[in-house]
Amino acid sequence: GGGGEGEGGGVQASISPLALAPQLALSGLAWCASTIAYYGIVLWPISLGDGLRLQTTLGALIELPVYVAVPLLSRRLGPRITWVIFLAFAAAVWSSLAVIGGGGAAGTAMLLAARLAGTGATTICYVASNDAFPTAARGFGVAVASCCGRVGSVLAPLIVNLMPEEGGSRMGALAT
């Protein structure tokens, strides 16, 4: 042990997980949505060039601006608002894709915008969820939320593979 809490200390003794249920539910849901958003779009076939390596490299490079923007927005607007903005942006892009589909130049641009939004949402969730829990329960709360995020990352490829490919129907399902 550590931290001078003595035997039986920690979250279990100070704060009941039941008392944290609202924060756990909201953070867990947001983490799950963030990772489904990110991995759902990363696994989506986007034609960025010939060969898997080139597509993977270009896809990763597209994410770099988000890694700069997230800390700046988080500092200016706060982590929670930044998280909501990226999740709302992702939902708006996917809803648009459900209407126009993912083909052509406009569809590719929208898919890339969705990738940026998913990247931002998964990047900020680590910081934003820290603020959702009292100090004594922060580690426990973030761990539970992170586990929900891992569930989302497992569900994303299943969701993408189960959805029909024609039109924008996959994107409509991801947007809901």
Side-chain angles (χ1 to χ4, degrees), residues 28-29 31-37 39-40 143-159:
L29 181 64
W31 270 68
C32 189
S34 296
T35 55
I36 287 174
Y39 290 107
V144 170
S146 178
C147 288
C148 292
R150 295 299 93 208
V151 169
S153 67
V154 169
L155 292 176
L158 299 173
I159 292 169

Short mmCIF file of all heavy atoms in Angstrom, two decimals, residues 28-29 31-37 39-40 143-159:
data_model
loop_
_atom_site.label_atom_id
_atom_site.label_comp_id
_atom_site.label_asym_id
_atom_site.label_seq_id
_atom_site.Cartn_x
_atom_site.Cartn_y
_atom_site.Cartn_z
N GLY A 28 -18.23 6.10 -19.01
CA GLY A 28 -18.12 4.84 -19.73
C GLY A 28 -18.77 4.90 -21.09
O GLY A 28 -18.21 4.44 -22.10
N LEU A 29 -19.97 5.49 -21.16
CA LEU A 29 -20.67 5.64 -22.43
C LEU A 29 -19.88 6.53 -23.39
O LEU A 29 -19.75 6.21 -24.58
CB LEU A 29 -22.07 6.21 -22.19
CG LEU A 29 -22.92 6.41 -23.44
CD1 LEU A 29 -23.22 5.06 -24.11
CD2 LEU A 29 -24.22 7.11 -23.06
N TRP A 31 -16.61 7.14 -23.37
CA TRP A 31 -15.40 6.42 -23.80
C TRP A 31 -15.76 5.40 -24.86
O TRP A 31 -15.06 5.26 -25.87
CB TRP A 31 -14.74 5.71 -22.62
CG TRP A 31 -13.74 6.52 -21.88
CD1 TRP A 31 -13.98 7.62 -21.13
CD2 TRP A 31 -12.34 6.27 -21.81
NE1 TRP A 31 -12.81 8.07 -20.58
CE2 TRP A 31 -11.78 7.26 -20.97
CE3 TRP A 31 -11.50 5.30 -22.34
CZ2 TRP A 31 -10.43 7.32 -20.68
CZ3 TRP A 31 -10.15 5.36 -22.03
CH2 TRP A 31 -9.62 6.36 -21.22
N CYS A 32 -16.82 4.65 -24.63
CA CYS A 32 -17.24 3.62 -25.59
C CYS A 32 -17.58 4.27 -26.94
O CYS A 32 -17.13 3.81 -28.00
CB CYS A 32 -18.43 2.85 -25.03
SG CYS A 32 -18.88 1.39 -26.00
N ALA A 33 -18.34 5.36 -26.92
CA ALA A 33 -18.69 6.07 -28.15
C ALA A 33 -17.45 6.62 -28.85
O ALA A 33 -17.33 6.56 -30.07
CB ALA A 33 -19.66 7.21 -27.83
N SER A 34 -16.51 7.15 -28.07
CA SER A 34 -15.28 7.70 -28.65
C SER A 34 -14.48 6.63 -29.37
O SER A 34 -13.98 6.85 -30.48
CB SER A 34 -14.42 8.35 -27.56
OG SER A 34 -15.07 9.45 -26.99
N THR A 35 -14.33 5.47 -28.75
CA THR A 35 -13.51 4.44 -29.38
C THR A 35 -14.24 3.77 -30.54
O THR A 35 -13.61 3.41 -31.54
CB THR A 35 -13.04 3.37 -28.36
OG1 THR A 35 -14.17 2.82 -27.69
CG2 THR A 35 -12.08 3.96 -27.36
N ILE A 36 -15.56 3.64 -30.46
CA ILE A 36 -16.30 3.15 -31.61
C ILE A 36 -16.15 4.14 -32.77
O ILE A 36 -15.95 3.75 -33.92
CB ILE A 36 -17.79 2.91 -31.27
CG1 ILE A 36 -17.94 1.66 -30.39
CG2 ILE A 36 -18.62 2.75 -32.55
CD1 ILE A 36 -19.34 1.43 -29.88
N ALA A 37 -16.22 5.43 -32.45
CA ALA A 37 -16.06 6.46 -33.47
C ALA A 37 -14.69 6.34 -34.14
O ALA A 37 -14.58 6.35 -35.36
CB ALA A 37 -16.22 7.85 -32.85
N TYR A 39 -12.25 3.77 -34.03
CA TYR A 39 -11.92 2.51 -34.70
C TYR A 39 -12.90 2.18 -35.83
O TYR A 39 -12.53 1.54 -36.80
CB TYR A 39 -11.83 1.36 -33.70
CG TYR A 39 -10.62 1.49 -32.83
CD1 TYR A 39 -10.72 1.86 -31.49
CD2 TYR A 39 -9.35 1.28 -33.34
CE1 TYR A 39 -9.61 2.00 -30.70
CE2 TYR A 39 -8.22 1.43 -32.56
CZ TYR A 39 -8.36 1.79 -31.24
OH TYR A 39 -7.25 1.94 -30.46
N GLY A 40 -14.13 2.63 -35.70
CA GLY A 40 -15.08 2.42 -36.78
C GLY A 40 -14.64 3.10 -38.06
O GLY A 40 -14.74 2.55 -39.15
N ALA A 143 -10.34 4.01 -14.69
CA ALA A 143 -10.12 2.61 -15.07
C ALA A 143 -11.40 1.97 -15.61
O ALA A 143 -11.37 1.28 -16.64
CB ALA A 143 -9.58 1.80 -13.88
N VAL A 144 -12.52 2.21 -14.94
CA VAL A 144 -13.79 1.66 -15.41
C VAL A 144 -14.15 2.27 -16.76
O VAL A 144 -14.56 1.56 -17.69
CB VAL A 144 -14.91 1.89 -14.37
CG1 VAL A 144 -16.27 1.54 -14.94
CG2 VAL A 144 -14.64 1.07 -13.11
N ALA A 145 -14.01 3.58 -16.89
CA ALA A 145 -14.32 4.25 -18.15
C ALA A 145 -13.42 3.74 -19.27
O ALA A 145 -13.87 3.50 -20.39
CB ALA A 145 -14.18 5.76 -18.00
N SER A 146 -12.15 3.55 -18.97
CA SER A 146 -11.20 3.03 -19.95
C SER A 146 -11.59 1.62 -20.40
O SER A 146 -11.48 1.28 -21.58
CB SER A 146 -9.79 3.03 -19.37
OG SER A 146 -8.87 2.51 -20.29
N CYS A 147 -12.04 0.81 -19.47
CA CYS A 147 -12.52 -0.54 -19.83
C CYS A 147 -13.71 -0.45 -20.78
O CYS A 147 -13.81 -1.24 -21.74
CB CYS A 147 -12.89 -1.33 -18.59
SG CYS A 147 -11.48 -1.85 -17.61
N CYS A 148 -14.60 0.50 -20.55
CA CYS A 148 -15.72 0.70 -21.47
C CYS A 148 -15.22 1.12 -22.84
O CYS A 148 -15.78 0.70 -23.86
CB CYS A 148 -16.68 1.76 -20.92
SG CYS A 148 -17.55 1.24 -19.42
N GLY A 149 -14.16 1.90 -22.87
CA GLY A 149 -13.55 2.27 -24.14
C GLY A 149 -12.99 1.08 -24.86
O GLY A 149 -13.10 0.95 -26.09
N ARG A 150 -12.38 0.16 -24.12
CA ARG A 150 -11.86 -1.06 -24.76
C ARG A 150 -12.99 -1.90 -25.32
O ARG A 150 -12.86 -2.50 -26.38
CB ARG A 150 -11.05 -1.89 -23.76
CG ARG A 150 -9.78 -1.23 -23.25
CD ARG A 150 -8.77 -0.91 -24.35
NE ARG A 150 -8.96 0.46 -24.82
CZ ARG A 150 -8.67 0.91 -26.04
NH1 ARG A 150 -8.16 0.13 -26.94
NH2 ARG A 150 -8.88 2.15 -26.37
N VAL A 151 -14.13 -1.92 -24.62
CA VAL A 151 -15.30 -2.63 -25.16
C VAL A 151 -15.71 -1.98 -26.48
O VAL A 151 -16.01 -2.68 -27.46
CB VAL A 151 -16.47 -2.62 -24.15
CG1 VAL A 151 -17.76 -3.11 -24.78
CG2 VAL A 151 -16.12 -3.47 -22.93
N GLY A 152 -15.70 -0.67 -26.54
CA GLY A 152 -16.01 0.03 -27.78
C GLY A 152 -15.05 -0.31 -28.90
O GLY A 152 -15.46 -0.48 -30.06
N SER A 153 -13.77 -0.45 -28.58
CA SER A 153 -12.80 -0.79 -29.63
C SER A 153 -12.97 -2.21 -30.12
O SER A 153 -12.64 -2.52 -31.26
CB SER A 153 -11.37 -0.55 -29.13
OG SER A 153 -11.03 -1.44 -28.10
N VAL A 154 -13.52 -3.08 -29.28
CA VAL A 154 -13.82 -4.45 -29.71
C VAL A 154 -15.10 -4.46 -30.55
O VAL A 154 -15.20 -5.18 -31.55
CB VAL A 154 -13.97 -5.39 -28.49
CG1 VAL A 154 -14.54 -6.73 -28.88
CG2 VAL A 154 -12.63 -5.56 -27.79
N LEU A 155 -16.07 -3.65 -30.18
CA LEU A 155 -17.34 -3.60 -30.90
C LEU A 155 -17.23 -2.93 -32.27
O LEU A 155 -17.96 -3.29 -33.19
CB LEU A 155 -18.39 -2.87 -30.07
CG LEU A 155 -18.87 -3.56 -28.80
CD1 LEU A 155 -19.84 -2.66 -28.04
CD2 LEU A 155 -19.51 -4.90 -29.13
N ALA A 156 -16.33 -1.97 -32.42
CA ALA A 156 -16.24 -1.20 -33.67
C ALA A 156 -16.07 -2.08 -34.91
O ALA A 156 -16.85 -1.93 -35.86
CB ALA A 156 -15.13 -0.17 -33.58
N PRO A 157 -15.10 -3.00 -34.95
CA PRO A 157 -14.98 -3.81 -36.17
C PRO A 157 -16.19 -4.72 -36.37
O PRO A 157 -16.57 -5.00 -37.52
CB PRO A 157 -13.70 -4.61 -35.97
CG PRO A 157 -13.33 -4.49 -34.55
CD PRO A 157 -14.02 -3.28 -34.02
N LEU A 158 -16.80 -5.17 -35.29
CA LEU A 158 -17.99 -6.00 -35.44
C LEU A 158 -19.13 -5.20 -36.05
O LEU A 158 -19.83 -5.67 -36.94
CB LEU A 158 -18.41 -6.56 -34.08
CG LEU A 158 -17.38 -7.46 -33.38
CD1 LEU A 158 -17.85 -7.81 -31.98
CD2 LEU A 158 -17.11 -8.70 -34.20
N ILE A 159 -19.30 -3.97 -35.59
CA ILE A 159 -20.35 -3.10 -36.11
C ILE A 159 -20.09 -2.80 -37.58
O ILE A 159 -20.99 -2.91 -38.42
CB ILE A 159 -20.45 -1.80 -35.29
CG1 ILE A 159 -20.96 -2.10 -33.88
CG2 ILE A 159 -21.35 -0.78 -35.99
CD1 ILE A 159 -20.84 -0.94 -32.92
#
